Amino acid sequence: MKIIKCLAVLGCLSITSCATLQQQISDNIKQPQVSYKTMSIGQLTSSSIELFPVFSVYNSNMFDIPVTKISYNVTVNQQKVTSGIAKNIGTLPANQDKDIQLAMRFEQQALNTLKNMLLNVGKVDLVIDGKINVLGLPIPFEKRATIYMPSVKLGKIKVKKASFNQVQLNLELIVDNKNDFSFPLNNVKYNVSSRNASLFNGQISSQKMTTGQQTLNVPLSINPSQLYSNILGLLRSPIIPLTIKIDGPLFSSEHTLSVNLNDLLK
């Protein structure tokens, strides 16, 4: 009997006033329940970032109901950074839940805001809120989360090949990601310098920063002749101070260490 009544309400869409229709829908159709499920990061470049939050929507009615659209806003530390509308969502099956993924894109200005806040505080409060429109009824939803800036520490340095002309090293970076999602690392650049002289530039590619702690291997190549005019000078001062700068779209760090060439060339 309940189903017949609800179907009758839906059949009156074209002949009932908007206000009366919404009241009938509200009285006879149970509102779907919206809950946050997970989030992932898509493309991450120096100028933009893609976020893909997933919400689970449960339809407790005994019949399918269509979703017209989803409107949303994103704020970071109470500062609005983006908003949008997702259409063509589809239908919520009866007595089932359905995962709905939103595609959000932060352009240059919003990405810079996010990165600056992470660098200054180490974390940001992210709020995604909006409304799911079901049969003309706006159903609110909200997700509050904290995004943490990954921490980076230096691990072991392993010598692959060493001579007075070139020293090839493998540097371990110990990365701790406290977030519940992974970071792509295709646009993370690093620079190695000594005494204000740039020795090596590189970029981490085809790697992901997973949740928790992991070790990333960074190959380095140092040419001592860039610092010393002759081998005698190198022998007199074999300890090379190194500064390693790491810069990514959402985090940056700087580290210092010293390499004793006498130890490497034994």
Side-chain angles (χ1 to χ4, degrees), residues 153-165:
K153 297 187 298 183
L154 296 182
K156 298 179 180 178
I157 296 180
K158 298 179 180 179
V159 182
K160 300 175 64 177
K161 184 179 180 181
S163 69
F164 285 110
N165 296 320

PDB file of all heavy atoms in Angstrom, residues 153-165:
ATOM      1  N   LYS A 153      62.456  12.687   6.404  1.00  0.00           N
ATOM      2  CA  LYS A 153      63.734  12.618   7.106  1.00  0.00           C
ATOM      3  C   LYS A 153      64.752  11.900   6.224  1.00  0.00           C
ATOM      4  O   LYS A 153      64.390  11.098   5.357  1.00  0.00           O
ATOM      5  CB  LYS A 153      63.579  11.867   8.433  1.00  0.00           C
ATOM      6  CG  LYS A 153      62.660  12.538   9.434  1.00  0.00           C
ATOM      7  CD  LYS A 153      62.706  11.828  10.777  1.00  0.00           C
ATOM      8  CE  LYS A 153      62.228  10.383  10.653  1.00  0.00           C
ATOM      9  NZ  LYS A 153      62.196   9.709  11.989  1.00  0.00           N
ATOM     10  N   LEU A 154      66.028  12.194   6.472  1.00  0.00           N
ATOM     11  CA  LEU A 154      67.091  11.528   5.730  1.00  0.00           C
ATOM     12  C   LEU A 154      67.374  10.170   6.345  1.00  0.00           C
ATOM     13  O   LEU A 154      67.464  10.034   7.564  1.00  0.00           O
ATOM     14  CB  LEU A 154      68.365  12.377   5.735  1.00  0.00           C
ATOM     15  CG  LEU A 154      68.293  13.740   5.040  1.00  0.00           C
ATOM     16  CD1 LEU A 154      69.657  14.412   5.091  1.00  0.00           C
ATOM     17  CD2 LEU A 154      67.832  13.589   3.600  1.00  0.00           C
ATOM     18  N   GLY A 155      67.537   9.180   5.480  1.00  0.00           N
ATOM     19  CA  GLY A 155      67.918   7.848   5.929  1.00  0.00           C
ATOM     20  C   GLY A 155      69.380   7.575   5.632  1.00  0.00           C
ATOM     21  O   GLY A 155      70.231   8.461   5.748  1.00  0.00           O
ATOM     22  N   LYS A 156      69.683   6.372   5.203  1.00  0.00           N
ATOM     23  CA  LYS A 156      71.058   5.988   4.928  1.00  0.00           C
ATOM     24  C   LYS A 156      71.521   6.498   3.562  1.00  0.00           C
ATOM     25  O   LYS A 156      70.725   6.677   2.642  1.00  0.00           O
ATOM     26  CB  LYS A 156      71.204   4.471   4.973  1.00  0.00           C
ATOM     27  CG  LYS A 156      70.894   3.857   6.332  1.00  0.00           C
ATOM     28  CD  LYS A 156      71.038   2.346   6.276  1.00  0.00           C
ATOM     29  CE  LYS A 156      70.732   1.717   7.627  1.00  0.00           C
ATOM     30  NZ  LYS A 156      70.833   0.226   7.579  1.00  0.00           N
ATOM     31  N   ILE A 157      72.840   6.705   3.441  1.00  0.00           N
ATOM     32  CA  ILE A 157      73.464   7.036   2.161  1.00  0.00           C
ATOM     33  C   ILE A 157      74.328   5.851   1.747  1.00  0.00           C
ATOM     34  O   ILE A 157      75.220   5.430   2.492  1.00  0.00           O
ATOM     35  CB  ILE A 157      74.330   8.307   2.266  1.00  0.00           C
ATOM     36  CG1 ILE A 157      73.465   9.505   2.604  1.00  0.00           C
ATOM     37  CG2 ILE A 157      75.070   8.553   0.959  1.00  0.00           C
ATOM     38  CD1 ILE A 157      74.238  10.793   2.713  1.00  0.00           C
ATOM     39  N   LYS A 158      74.038   5.317   0.588  1.00  0.00           N
ATOM     40  CA  LYS A 158      74.792   4.176   0.086  1.00  0.00           C
ATOM     41  C   LYS A 158      75.604   4.595  -1.140  1.00  0.00           C
ATOM     42  O   LYS A 158      75.091   5.264  -2.039  1.00  0.00           O
ATOM     43  CB  LYS A 158      73.845   3.029  -0.272  1.00  0.00           C
ATOM     44  CG  LYS A 158      73.056   2.515   0.925  1.00  0.00           C
ATOM     45  CD  LYS A 158      72.115   1.384   0.513  1.00  0.00           C
ATOM     46  CE  LYS A 158      71.321   0.877   1.709  1.00  0.00           C
ATOM     47  NZ  LYS A 158      70.372  -0.211   1.329  1.00  0.00           N
ATOM     48  N   VAL A 159      76.867   4.207  -1.167  1.00  0.00           N
ATOM     49  CA  VAL A 159      77.750   4.551  -2.275  1.00  0.00           C
ATOM     50  C   VAL A 159      77.610   3.492  -3.370  1.00  0.00           C
ATOM     51  O   VAL A 159      77.784   2.302  -3.130  1.00  0.00           O
ATOM     52  CB  VAL A 159      79.210   4.633  -1.808  1.00  0.00           C
ATOM     53  CG1 VAL A 159      80.108   5.038  -2.971  1.00  0.00           C
ATOM     54  CG2 VAL A 159      79.353   5.605  -0.653  1.00  0.00           C
ATOM     55  N   LYS A 160      77.303   3.941  -4.571  1.00  0.00           N
ATOM     56  CA  LYS A 160      77.218   3.025  -5.702  1.00  0.00           C
ATOM     57  C   LYS A 160      78.520   3.010  -6.499  1.00  0.00           C
ATOM     58  O   LYS A 160      78.957   1.977  -6.979  1.00  0.00           O
ATOM     59  CB  LYS A 160      76.045   3.433  -6.600  1.00  0.00           C
ATOM     60  CG  LYS A 160      74.689   3.398  -5.886  1.00  0.00           C
ATOM     61  CD  LYS A 160      73.567   3.924  -6.754  1.00  0.00           C
ATOM     62  CE  LYS A 160      73.354   3.038  -7.971  1.00  0.00           C
ATOM     63  NZ  LYS A 160      72.202   3.507  -8.784  1.00  0.00           N
ATOM     64  N   LYS A 161      79.140   4.180  -6.619  1.00  0.00           N
ATOM     65  CA  LYS A 161      80.400   4.290  -7.359  1.00  0.00           C
ATOM     66  C   LYS A 161      81.079   5.584  -6.926  1.00  0.00           C
ATOM     67  O   LYS A 161      80.426   6.606  -6.770  1.00  0.00           O
ATOM     68  CB  LYS A 161      80.140   4.296  -8.869  1.00  0.00           C
ATOM     69  CG  LYS A 161      81.394   4.303  -9.725  1.00  0.00           C
ATOM     70  CD  LYS A 161      81.026   4.278 -11.211  1.00  0.00           C
ATOM     71  CE  LYS A 161      82.254   4.288 -12.089  1.00  0.00           C
ATOM     72  NZ  LYS A 161      81.910   4.296 -13.534  1.00  0.00           N
ATOM     73  N   ALA A 162      82.408   5.542  -6.720  1.00  0.00           N
ATOM     74  CA  ALA A 162      83.105   6.742  -6.242  1.00  0.00           C
ATOM     75  C   ALA A 162      84.479   6.861  -6.877  1.00  0.00           C
ATOM     76  O   ALA A 162      85.212   5.877  -7.011  1.00  0.00           O
ATOM     77  CB  ALA A 162      83.237   6.709  -4.721  1.00  0.00           C
ATOM     78  N   SER A 163      84.813   8.073  -7.274  1.00  0.00           N
ATOM     79  CA  SER A 163      86.142   8.420  -7.765  1.00  0.00           C
ATOM     80  C   SER A 163      86.335   9.907  -7.524  1.00  0.00           C
ATOM     81  O   SER A 163      85.417  10.607  -7.080  1.00  0.00           O
ATOM     82  CB  SER A 163      86.286   8.092  -9.258  1.00  0.00           C
ATOM     83  OG  SER A 163      85.477   8.957 -10.030  1.00  0.00           O
ATOM     84  N   PHE A 164      87.546  10.428  -7.835  1.00  0.00           N
ATOM     85  CA  PHE A 164      87.778  11.853  -7.665  1.00  0.00           C
ATOM     86  C   PHE A 164      86.982  12.679  -8.689  1.00  0.00           C
ATOM     87  O   PHE A 164      86.804  13.881  -8.519  1.00  0.00           O
ATOM     88  CB  PHE A 164      89.267  12.162  -7.792  1.00  0.00           C
ATOM     89  CG  PHE A 164      90.057  11.761  -6.582  1.00  0.00           C
ATOM     90  CD1 PHE A 164      90.944  10.700  -6.632  1.00  0.00           C
ATOM     91  CD2 PHE A 164      89.897  12.443  -5.381  1.00  0.00           C
ATOM     92  CE1 PHE A 164      91.679  10.330  -5.508  1.00  0.00           C
ATOM     93  CE2 PHE A 164      90.617  12.081  -4.258  1.00  0.00           C
ATOM     94  CZ  PHE A 164      91.512  11.020  -4.307  1.00  0.00           C
ATOM     95  N   ASN A 165      86.502  12.032  -9.736  1.00  0.00           N
ATOM     96  CA  ASN A 165      85.766  12.744 -10.768  1.00  0.00           C
ATOM     97  C   ASN A 165      84.254  12.707 -10.556  1.00  0.00           C
ATOM     98  O   ASN A 165      83.537  13.639 -10.934  1.00  0.00           O
ATOM     99  CB  ASN A 165      86.083  12.164 -12.149  1.00  0.00           C
ATOM    100  CG  ASN A 165      87.536  12.363 -12.525  1.00  0.00           C
ATOM    101  OD1 ASN A 165      88.109  13.420 -12.262  1.00  0.00           O
ATOM    102  ND2 ASN A 165      88.148  11.346 -13.123  1.00  0.00           N
TER     103      ASN A 165
END
